Amino acid sequence: HTENVTDESLEAPDSVYKIYLDPTGRHLLVATENNELYYFSRASKKFKSISKLKGNLVTAVGWNKSSNEKSTDAILVGTKRGLVFELAINASNEGFLNQNIDSYCKQVYNFGSSTFITGIEIFHLKKENSSGASAPSNNVENIYAILISTTK
């Protein structure tokens, strides 16, 4: 829903923590030190605040290879507190979050607050359009895999 997203600009004293650009160069996420997440695309021309993730420092993004010019499709974001969220963003100016997938941003896993998510990758399994994600943490001894089934 559009009430969850607003046109924004970075205001002092907020500063950029990390920038995440999808492999196609179509979609950009900007995480700030004040635990805000902003989205920009070539289609939208404006930065948008992802308010459902406010208060979470995004430390990793797994981009979906099924994205297109106007939609990220389902992506995964990891946080400093060990949370993994599934997020879908529609870059059109009229509706920001994808209405066809319940305009969602939902938590899909919690590794615990002592686990800092350092990387996420989405890969598609050949069996029935299922998707999975690997979310390595900062503990070098542990690599986790989350399997998420999707239907299309």
Side-chain angles (χ1 to χ4, degrees):
H1 301 305
T2 55
E3 70 269 6
N4 295 320
V5 181
T6 58
D7 292 339
E8 297 285 336
S9 60
L10 293 176
E11 295 182 21
D14 205 358
S15 59
V16 172
Y17 170 74
K18 273 192 176 178
I19 296 173
Y20 306 95
L21 181 65
D22 86 309
T24 67
R26 297 176 181 148
H27 307 281
L28 176 78
L29 289 173
V30 178
T32 70
E33 296 285 345
N34 287 343
N35 300 335
E36 297 273 357
L37 185 65
Y38 297 92
Y39 170 78
F40 182 81
S41 80
R42 292 188 302 195
S44 68
K45 308 287 191 235
K46 294 181 181 179
F47 276 91
K48 307 281 186 176
S49 174
I50 311 294
S51 63
K52 285 189 175 185
L53 287 173
K54 187 174 185 168
N56 290 288
L57 180 59
V58 172
T59 56
V61 175
W63 294 102
N64 194 325
K65 292 177 178 76
S66 298
S67 71
N68 58 49
E69 189 73 30
K70 294 189 177 186
S71 173
T72 62
D73 206 353
I75 62 174
L76 295 175
V77 296
T79 71
K80 185 177 180 179
R81 298 184 304 171
L83 302 174
V84 178
F85 292 89
E86 184 176 21
L87 174 67
I89 303 169
N90 180 349
S92 71
N93 286 326
E94 297 79 37
F96 182 69
L97 293 175
N98 191 335
Q99 302 300 318
N100 296 328
I101 47 179
D102 296 331
S103 305
Y104 76 84
C105 170
K106 68 178 180 179
Q107 182 181 324
V108 293
Y109 204 81
N110 182 352
F111 286 101
S113 61
S114 63
T115 304
F116 187 104
I117 306 295
T118 59
I120 293 180
E121 176 146 358
I122 294 177
F123 57 93
H124 293 277
L125 305 176
K126 293 182 181 179
K127 184 179 176 183
E128 299 179 25
N129 292 328
S130 296
S131 293
S134 170
S137 75
N138 68 338
N139 183 341
V140 182
E141 298 172 3
N142 297 313
I143 296 178
Y144 302 95
I146 305 168
L147 295 180
I148 302 168
S149 178
T150 61
T151 56
K152 289 191 174 192

